[in-house]
Amino acid sequence: MKTLLVDDHALLRETLAAVMVQIWPSLQVLQASSLAQACTLCDEHPDLRLVLLDLGLPDAQGLHSLTTLRERAPDARHVVLSADDRPQTVLAAIDAGAVGFIPKTSEFRVMAEALERVLQGGVYLPASATALADTPADVPVLSPRQLSVLALLVKGQSNKGISRTLDLSASTVKTHLEAVFRRLGVNSRTQAVVAVARLGLRLPA
């Protein structure tokens, strides 16, 4: 599996890449120190499956880099690495399509656990963000189709995109999303992603 690690701090980037390869020998970790370099690698490697992104790049600040890389690598799962783990920052990243948010202050053990969850189809968010979700104590039962719809929602696809991917009518997608929101006890896409993280749900690829 190809992974792109984007961070302008060389020491952190090299260390994290080494740890990842040690834990998951099958990973091929590509590295970029800027958004421009990351875009080039996305174009050269359309089979990227995971992007780890620092929001504070020298040529792009904030969520602009996340939005850009999601357009360049739409099939990859995007995870933010940031020293700013305030709930509003985490939720903004989720709004922009991230499926994970790992504070840079986390120990490597925690980072490894977070990446393992993401690689298995889950969502990882810091406790400060998941605490905001008022979700059921028990994991709700969702049908295979509802899980597929939820998985695409987590990846940031619009209703129209979900409809095209699953070959469903717009009204059917809307019905599935309403049912998913009801069972998760949420009323927005961002809340749904947070609920997935809090409940530890594993979603289909």
Short mmCIF file of all heavy atoms in Angstrom, two decimals, residues 46-69:
data_model
loop_
_atom_site.label_atom_id
_atom_site.label_comp_id
_atom_site.label_asym_id
_atom_site.label_seq_id
_atom_site.Cartn_x
_atom_site.Cartn_y
_atom_site.Cartn_z
N PRO A 46 -1.14 7.54 -8.74
CA PRO A 46 -2.60 7.57 -8.58
C PRO A 46 -3.13 6.44 -7.70
O PRO A 46 -4.31 6.46 -7.35
CB PRO A 46 -3.11 7.42 -10.02
CG PRO A 46 -1.99 6.75 -10.75
CD PRO A 46 -0.73 7.27 -10.13
N ASP A 47 -2.27 5.48 -7.34
CA ASP A 47 -2.71 4.37 -6.49
C ASP A 47 -2.44 4.63 -5.01
O ASP A 47 -2.46 3.70 -4.21
CB ASP A 47 -2.04 3.07 -6.92
CG ASP A 47 -0.52 3.17 -6.99
OD1 ASP A 47 0.01 4.30 -7.02
OD2 ASP A 47 0.14 2.11 -7.03
N LEU A 48 -2.23 5.89 -4.64
CA LEU A 48 -2.06 6.22 -3.22
C LEU A 48 -3.32 5.82 -2.45
O LEU A 48 -4.44 6.05 -2.91
CB LEU A 48 -1.83 7.72 -3.04
CG LEU A 48 -0.42 8.26 -3.28
CD1 LEU A 48 -0.44 9.78 -3.25
CD2 LEU A 48 0.53 7.73 -2.21
N ARG A 49 -3.12 5.25 -1.27
CA ARG A 49 -4.26 4.84 -0.46
C ARG A 49 -4.34 5.57 0.88
O ARG A 49 -5.36 5.53 1.55
CB ARG A 49 -4.21 3.32 -0.23
CG ARG A 49 -4.52 2.51 -1.47
CD ARG A 49 -5.94 2.77 -1.93
NE ARG A 49 -6.25 2.15 -3.22
CZ ARG A 49 -6.21 2.78 -4.36
NH1 ARG A 49 -5.88 4.07 -4.40
NH2 ARG A 49 -6.52 2.18 -5.49
N LEU A 50 -3.26 6.24 1.28
CA LEU A 50 -3.25 6.94 2.56
C LEU A 50 -2.37 8.18 2.43
O LEU A 50 -1.26 8.10 1.91
CB LEU A 50 -2.73 6.04 3.67
CG LEU A 50 -2.62 6.65 5.09
CD1 LEU A 50 -4.01 6.99 5.63
CD2 LEU A 50 -1.91 5.68 6.04
N VAL A 51 -2.89 9.33 2.89
CA VAL A 51 -2.13 10.57 2.91
C VAL A 51 -2.12 11.11 4.33
O VAL A 51 -3.18 11.31 4.93
CB VAL A 51 -2.73 11.62 1.96
CG1 VAL A 51 -1.98 12.95 2.08
CG2 VAL A 51 -2.70 11.13 0.52
N LEU A 52 -0.92 11.32 4.87
CA LEU A 52 -0.75 11.92 6.19
C LEU A 52 -0.24 13.33 5.99
O LEU A 52 0.83 13.53 5.39
CB LEU A 52 0.24 11.11 7.03
CG LEU A 52 -0.09 9.64 7.24
CD1 LEU A 52 1.01 8.95 8.05
CD2 LEU A 52 -1.42 9.49 7.94
N LEU A 53 -0.97 14.31 6.47
CA LEU A 53 -0.72 15.69 6.11
C LEU A 53 -0.59 16.61 7.31
O LEU A 53 -1.49 16.67 8.16
CB LEU A 53 -1.86 16.19 5.21
CG LEU A 53 -1.91 17.68 4.89
CD1 LEU A 53 -0.71 18.07 4.02
CD2 LEU A 53 -3.21 18.03 4.20
N ASP A 54 0.52 17.35 7.36
CA ASP A 54 0.69 18.43 8.32
C ASP A 54 0.02 19.67 7.75
O ASP A 54 0.25 20.03 6.59
CB ASP A 54 2.19 18.68 8.55
CG ASP A 54 2.45 19.87 9.44
OD1 ASP A 54 1.54 20.28 10.19
OD2 ASP A 54 3.58 20.41 9.40
N LEU A 55 -0.82 20.33 8.53
CA LEU A 55 -1.54 21.50 8.03
C LEU A 55 -0.66 22.74 7.91
O LEU A 55 -1.05 23.71 7.26
CB LEU A 55 -2.74 21.81 8.94
CG LEU A 55 -3.89 20.80 8.95
CD1 LEU A 55 -4.99 21.26 9.87
CD2 LEU A 55 -4.42 20.57 7.55
N GLY A 56 0.50 22.74 8.54
CA GLY A 56 1.36 23.92 8.51
C GLY A 56 2.51 23.79 7.55
O GLY A 56 3.68 23.71 7.95
N LEU A 57 2.24 23.78 6.24
CA LEU A 57 3.28 23.65 5.23
C LEU A 57 3.77 25.04 4.80
O LEU A 57 3.03 26.02 4.88
CB LEU A 57 2.74 22.89 4.01
CG LEU A 57 2.29 21.45 4.27
CD1 LEU A 57 1.66 20.86 3.01
CD2 LEU A 57 3.46 20.59 4.74
N PRO A 58 5.00 25.13 4.32
CA PRO A 58 5.54 26.44 3.96
C PRO A 58 4.81 27.11 2.80
O PRO A 58 4.76 28.34 2.71
CB PRO A 58 7.01 26.13 3.58
CG PRO A 58 7.04 24.68 3.26
CD PRO A 58 6.01 24.06 4.15
N ASP A 59 4.22 26.32 1.89
CA ASP A 59 3.54 26.89 0.74
C ASP A 59 2.01 26.77 0.81
O ASP A 59 1.32 27.00 -0.18
CB ASP A 59 4.05 26.27 -0.56
CG ASP A 59 3.92 24.74 -0.58
OD1 ASP A 59 3.68 24.16 0.49
OD2 ASP A 59 4.05 24.15 -1.67
N ALA A 60 1.50 26.39 1.96
CA ALA A 60 0.04 26.31 2.13
C ALA A 60 -0.28 26.18 3.61
O ALA A 60 0.21 25.28 4.27
CB ALA A 60 -0.54 25.14 1.36
N GLN A 61 -1.08 27.07 4.11
CA GLN A 61 -1.45 27.03 5.52
C GLN A 61 -2.90 26.59 5.67
O GLN A 61 -3.77 26.93 4.86
CB GLN A 61 -1.26 28.42 6.16
CG GLN A 61 0.20 28.85 6.25
CD GLN A 61 1.00 27.96 7.20
OE1 GLN A 61 0.54 27.64 8.29
NE2 GLN A 61 2.19 27.58 6.78
N GLY A 62 -3.16 25.84 6.73
CA GLY A 62 -4.53 25.47 7.05
C GLY A 62 -5.10 24.41 6.14
O GLY A 62 -4.38 23.59 5.58
N LEU A 63 -6.42 24.48 5.96
CA LEU A 63 -7.14 23.41 5.28
C LEU A 63 -7.03 23.46 3.76
O LEU A 63 -7.48 22.53 3.09
CB LEU A 63 -8.61 23.46 5.69
CG LEU A 63 -8.88 23.20 7.18
CD1 LEU A 63 -10.35 23.42 7.49
CD2 LEU A 63 -8.46 21.79 7.55
N HIS A 64 -6.41 24.50 3.22
CA HIS A 64 -6.24 24.58 1.77
C HIS A 64 -5.46 23.37 1.26
O HIS A 64 -5.80 22.80 0.21
CB HIS A 64 -5.52 25.87 1.39
CG HIS A 64 -5.07 25.90 -0.04
ND1 HIS A 64 -5.95 25.95 -1.10
CD2 HIS A 64 -3.83 25.86 -0.59
CE1 HIS A 64 -5.28 25.94 -2.24
NE2 HIS A 64 -3.99 25.89 -1.96
N SER A 65 -4.45 22.97 1.99
CA SER A 65 -3.63 21.83 1.55
C SER A 65 -4.44 20.54 1.57
O SER A 65 -4.31 19.70 0.67
CB SER A 65 -2.38 21.69 2.44
OG SER A 65 -2.74 21.61 3.81
N LEU A 66 -5.29 20.37 2.57
CA LEU A 66 -6.12 19.17 2.65
C LEU A 66 -7.10 19.12 1.48
O LEU A 66 -7.25 18.08 0.82
CB LEU A 66 -6.88 19.15 3.98
CG LEU A 66 -7.90 18.02 4.17
CD1 LEU A 66 -7.24 16.66 4.05
CD2 LEU A 66 -8.59 18.17 5.54
N THR A 67 -7.75 20.23 1.22
CA THR A 67 -8.71 20.29 0.10
C THR A 67 -8.02 19.99 -1.23
O THR A 67 -8.53 19.23 -2.06
CB THR A 67 -9.37 21.68 0.04
OG1 THR A 67 -10.01 21.95 1.30
CG2 THR A 67 -10.40 21.74 -1.07
N THR A 68 -6.83 20.55 -1.41
CA THR A 68 -6.09 20.35 -2.65
C THR A 68 -5.70 18.89 -2.84
O THR A 68 -5.86 18.31 -3.92
CB THR A 68 -4.83 21.23 -2.66
OG1 THR A 68 -5.21 22.61 -2.57
CG2 THR A 68 -4.03 21.01 -3.95
N LEU A 69 -5.18 18.27 -1.78
CA LEU A 69 -4.72 16.89 -1.90
C LEU A 69 -5.88 15.91 -2.02
O LEU A 69 -5.75 14.86 -2.66
CB LEU A 69 -3.83 16.52 -0.71
CG LEU A 69 -2.47 17.23 -0.68
CD1 LEU A 69 -1.65 16.76 0.51
CD2 LEU A 69 -1.70 16.99 -1.97
#
